[in-house]
Amino acid sequence: MAHINRRSWLKTLTSAGAGAVLLSPSQILAAMPTIEENTTNGMVRLSSNENPYSPSPSMKKAIAAIDPDLCRYPNSHFATLEAIIAKREGLDPSQVVVTSGSREGLKAVGQMYSIRGGEIVTCLPTYKALISYAEFLGSKIRAVPLTEELGYNLPGIAKEIKSETKMVFICNPNNPTGTLLDPGKLEIFCRKWSASVPVFVDEVYYDYIEQKGYPSMKSLISEGLDVIIARTFSKVYGLAGVRIGYMIANTRIATEIRNSLMSGTNIMGLKLAMTALEDKEFYNFSLEKNREGKRLIYSALDELNLRYLPSHTNFVFFKTGRNISEVQRAFTTEGVQVGRAFPPYLDWCRISTGTTEEVKVFVGALKKVFA
Ligand SMILES: Cc1ncc(COP(=O)(O)O)c(C=O)c1O
């Protein structure tokens, strides 16, 4: 379908009344934003690990149906979404806390465990929302370097857990490296150490894990352990702009998180999340396009002999051998926005998977920058 017809076709779809919109992958693709619609200030934005194929047709339809609810407080919808998520995850609704993006939950938890001082142990580089906020509030961050393979260093973290430790933060798969921990080792770690300190496992990229049957650490929560998990609707579900995510924890910790939230999310986020959970087609489509994007990125990096880490996320971390500020400038000149600096890996670059068209623009730019 020509792009020119896309808007009117979508309009027909979204005005077709209530009910799920079930589409084939090619129909979904035809309804997706064009590269021109996705660019910000003329730049292809591959810097923030978003899902550029969103909003899906079912999302557009749901947005059109939300109007009458906009004047209402969203309170009752929190419980509805938490119950839906709990059922899917095999948990009790009291163990799920819906938040304004997972970042609100990360900050709430950071606050809970830093308010009385002490230390948080983690690896760096990693996703810093929780630890930066905890540091701002007075916590000391004990940062362990990654392993030689740039993986999370669990034995290194274990060595740093002391009486002052208030929490351990693990990001799995990790941002910015895209690496995944051995699930058995992670489970043993969580079981052992959560008896002394809460262990936070950020599973925001869980859906992208390439290893079949890779377990979530949520099963430990069902056993009542002090493990806290972050999930989001910002990535594979494509709702980064709407701000909706959730925390999973045992009922005691979950209640404390709920009481620590600033305001939670809004009716739009709650309703769109419910729609997103029903749209299996868009979920599978997004995962497949992400795989395709990664394949294109890997093959270009292979061609140029640039080292990269096989990724379990929607981005790829690759070694440029040049300072990231210089690399960012070179890509900007080519119209591509790449990820920020991740010290101490200043000669590495993180690139998000965009649409296939956007990835092709990146590949063209890569070949020019590293010619
Ligand atoms: C590992 C990780 N956790 C959490 C977040 C926060 O995401 P959000 O607040 O959109 O749910 C991000 C965002 O990129 C992330 O990479």
Side-chain angles (χ1 to χ4, degrees):
M1 178 176 300
H3 288 318
I4 208 91
N5 294 328
R6 196 180 65 85
R7 277 180 210 279
S8 48
W9 183 65
L10 254 182
K11 217 166 166 200
T12 323
L13 271 177
T14 55
S15 59
V21 185
L22 298 180
L23 299 172
S24 69
S26 61
Q27 283 176 309
I28 296 175
L29 196 54
M32 292 301 143
T34 62
I35 195 161
E36 291 78 17
E37 286 164 328
N38 262 339
T39 51
T40 315
N41 302 326
M43 300 285 288
V44 170
R45 187 178 146 103
L46 300 176
S47 51
S48 300
N49 311 337
E50 298 147 341
N51 177 356
Y53 287 104
S54 177
S56 63
S58 68
M59 213 65 79
K60 293 243 183 194
K61 192 175 177 195
I63 290 166
I66 281 169
D67 291 14
D69 290 324
L70 291 180
C71 64
R72 306 288 170 203
Y73 284 112
N75 304 6
S76 65
H77 299 291
F78 278 93
T80 309
L81 180 59
E82 282 164 2
I84 292 171
I85 293 169
K87 192 162 178 222
R88 289 170 64 94
E89 304 282 2
L91 297 159
D92 188 83
S94 66
Q95 298 168 329
V96 177
V97 185
V98 165
T99 55
S100 176
S102 62
R103 191 190 306 210
E104 186 192 33
L106 285 156
K107 285 194 163 190
V109 174
Q111 177 178 290
M112 276 161 52
Y113 293 105
S114 62
I115 213 107
R116 290 170 212 93
E119 297 185 355
I120 294 179
V121 187
T122 189
C123 272
L124 282 185
T126 195
Y127 187 70
K128 287 180 79 176
L130 186 156
I131 49 185
S132 297
Y133 195 51
E135 195 170 27
F136 169 72
L137 294 173
S139 255
K140 186 158 182 265
I141 306 306
R142 204 165 269 281
V144 174
L146 298 177
T147 62
E148 263 177 33
E149 300 78 39
L150 273 62
Y152 240 78
N153 185 349
L154 293 182
I157 290 182
K159 270 196 210 138
E160 296 298 335
I161 299 175
K162 310 261 162 37
S163 57
E164 312 81 80
T165 308
K166 293 285 191 282
M167 196 181 79
V168 167
F169 178 82
I170 295 168
C171 188
N172 188 52
N174 189 29
N175 178 6
T177 54
T179 52
L180 188 66
L181 280 161
D182 176 279
K185 288 184 180 155
L186 178 59
E187 187 183 330
I188 291 169
F189 179 96
C190 290
R191 277 189 187 285
K192 176 169 179 191
W193 292 104
S194 66
S196 351
V197 285
V199 178
F200 195 107
V201 187
D202 183 329
E203 292 186 355
V204 155
Y205 296 100
Y206 182 78
D207 301 84
Y208 294 108
I209 292 176
E210 297 289 357
Q211 217 167 296
K212 261 208 157 64
Y214 188 93
S216 161
M217 290 302 121
K218 71 182 177 190
S219 57
L220 304 179
I221 290 164
S222 310
E223 293 177 31
L225 303 190
D226 284 0
V227 171
I228 308 165
I229 289 172
R231 295 280 186 85
T232 193
F233 287 92
S234 298
K235 305 297 176 187
V236 68
Y237 294 106
L239 293 176
V242 175
R243 311 310 297 130
I244 180 140
Y246 56 97
M247 301 289 117
I248 311 175
N250 64 42
T251 304
R252 178 179 44 79
I253 295 180
T255 305
E256 209 181 324
I257 300 173
R258 193 170 278 112
N259 291 336
S260 305
L261 295 182
M262 290 303 281
S263 97
T265 191
N266 53 61
I267 198 128
M268 196 89 157
L270 293 160
K271 292 222 157 178
L272 293 184
M274 291 179 211
T275 305
L277 288 174
E278 281 182 10
D279 194 343
K280 208 73 196 121
E281 281 75 19
F282 182 69
Y283 178 89
N284 289 332
F285 168 84
S286 297
L287 288 182
E288 189 40 48
K289 293 310 268 181
N290 185 57
R291 275 184 216 113
E292 181 182 318
K294 284 198 290 192
R295 277 196 298 270
L296 288 171
I297 295 171
Y298 292 161
S299 106
L301 291 169
D302 282 337
E303 222 178 283
L304 292 166
N305 253 325
L306 293 173
R307 180 184 166 204
Y308 58 88
L309 304 174
S311 162
H312 294 271
T313 61
N314 61 347
F315 55 83
V316 178
F317 200 45
F318 67 100
K319 187 170 165 104
T320 64
R322 299 187 201 166
N323 188 279
I324 183 67
S325 321
E326 182 203 319
V327 170
Q328 275 172 329
R329 267 197 304 276
F331 274 113
T332 304
T333 308
E334 297 302 325
V336 179
Q337 209 174 317
V338 299
R340 63 176 179 84
F342 293 100
Y345 298 95
L346 294 176
D347 59 347
W348 286 69
C349 176
R350 190 192 68 189
I351 187 79
S352 310
T353 57
T355 62
T356 306
E357 226 177 336
E358 289 171 328
V359 172
K360 285 181 180 165
V361 173
F362 163 73
V363 166
L366 181 79
K367 289 184 177 169
K368 273 196 192 166
V369 173
F370 292 93

